[in-house]
Amino acid sequence: LKGFLFDEDYAVDPRSQYINDVDLLFGFNTDEGTIFADKNLTPKDYENYLRKVYPELAGELMERYPVDQEHPPFVQCAEIIGLSAFKASMLPYADRLSESGRAVYGYHFDYLTERLRREGFGCRHIAELNFVFRKDLKYVGGDDEKGEEIASFMNDAWCNFIKTGKPAERWPRYDSSSPQVMRIGRHTYAGNLCINLGTTCFSVFQFFKNQTAAAFTHDETVAACAERAGCSLRRVIAGR
């Protein structure tokens, strides 16, 4: 993006650059990273991946997310990708806008339908969008009474936020000193933000800055990785 949308490296300080002074509705799904990881990773592939994408944090990450029988390389890699590229990267913006007095609301989507479970990728990246737009719920297994209930709640919440700046009366306002979000799943309730960052240095900018074809195993190209991610719903997560 540098030279096209931005004159400088926008990854320097996400807390101070390119943040519009607006209210914010942000959130993430439980298993954000699963469709971006390779289920065929070996322990050595996993180590090489971390050293390539997170060169300064690789040692710490391997200590905090070790590979063993219950935590194979794919599962650990997916967890790290989900944290760095999606979950942790949202918080600097949410904190900055909240501290400046803007109305900030967060959500954690954790509705694991039977279809999503069979796909083997858990409550994966973008799984919530069908519910937000209340459309094609059958594609994520949400075309039942509970799915319709969640879709109705989420669609109303997004529309309310656009119109009034508040998703719902019972939806708590996010504050960096007391980070509460709406947990949306089989049971929907306001609760504390639960992200085990593992390290305070996670950043989406580092992830994408260092993410190249060489970061993937088996000499795959970026195009091949994208194609694999698109077809990954047929695969099964190791250890799930």
Side-chain angles (χ1 to χ4, degrees):
L1 298 179
K2 184 177 180 181
F4 293 92
L5 294 180
F6 303 101
D7 294 328
E8 301 175 356
D9 186 353
Y10 77 109
V12 174
D13 184 3
R15 295 182 66 89
S16 63
Q17 294 189 33
Y18 308 110
I19 300 180
N20 289 326
D21 187 26
V22 295
D23 296 338
L24 176 68
L25 175 60
F26 77 98
F28 58 85
N29 300 345
T30 298
D31 302 299
E32 287 282 4
T34 51
I35 65 173
F36 301 99
D38 185 348
K39 75 163 187 173
N40 296 314
L41 282 178
T42 66
K44 187 61 178 178
D45 291 333
Y46 174 64
E47 179 181 346
N48 290 340
Y49 178 88
L50 294 183
R51 294 194 184 284
K52 178 64 182 180
V53 182
Y54 311 93
E56 298 177 359
L57 299 175
E60 181 180 352
L61 290 174
M62 283 186 284
E63 289 183 5
R64 292 180 179 272
Y65 299 92
V67 170
D68 54 38
Q69 188 171 1
E70 295 183 0
H71 304 89
F74 170 69
V75 170
Q76 298 296 65
C77 188
E79 179 69 9
I80 291 172
I81 291 174
L83 285 169
S84 63
F86 299 99
K87 300 178 183 179
S89 61
M90 298 178 185
L91 299 185
Y93 296 104
D95 290 345
R96 172 71 181 276
L97 289 170
S98 173
E99 291 164 3
S100 69
R102 303 303 310 198
V104 177
Y105 298 91
Y107 69 89
H108 176 172
F109 186 75
D110 188 43
Y111 183 48
L112 183 62
T113 67
E114 178 61 23
R115 175 162 181 165
L116 289 175
R117 188 193 65 77
R118 291 199 307 269
E119 288 175 353
F121 282 76
C123 191
R124 55 172 170 75
H125 181 61
I126 73 172
E128 84 278 29
L129 293 187
N130 295 77
F131 296 90
V132 170
F133 292 103
R134 202 173 183 181
K135 183 175 177 61
D136 296 329
L137 293 176
K138 63 181 179 181
Y139 294 121
V140 290
D143 52 338
D144 56 14
E145 184 176 353
K146 186 62 179 180
E148 291 286 351
E149 176 187 328
I150 292 176
S152 178
F153 171 75
M154 295 186 74
N155 186 261
D156 286 347
W158 263 246
C159 290
N160 287 339
F161 179 75
I162 292 170
K163 292 186 293 185
T164 70
K166 184 176 177 64
E169 283 302 317
R170 61 191 178 108
W171 198 306
R173 186 162 166 168
Y174 174 90
D175 184 278
S176 58
S177 63
S178 179
Q180 285 205 325
V181 299
M182 186 64 77
R183 298 290 298 268
I184 303 174
R186 293 285 174 186
H187 303 283
T188 298
Y189 59 94
N192 291 329
L193 177 67
C194 297
I195 297 181
N196 178 21
L197 297 181
T199 172
T200 59
C201 301
F202 266 132
S203 170
V204 66
F205 304 105
Q206 183 182 40
F207 174 79
F208 284 111
K209 191 173 184 179
N210 297 325
Q211 184 67 285
T212 66
F216 292 87
T217 59
H218 315 306
D219 296 322
E220 293 173 311
T221 64
V222 172
C225 293
E227 181 179 359
R228 186 186 73 243
C231 298
S232 61
L233 299 183
R234 301 185 193 81
R235 303 184 320 186
V236 178
I237 290 183
R240 282 186 178 271

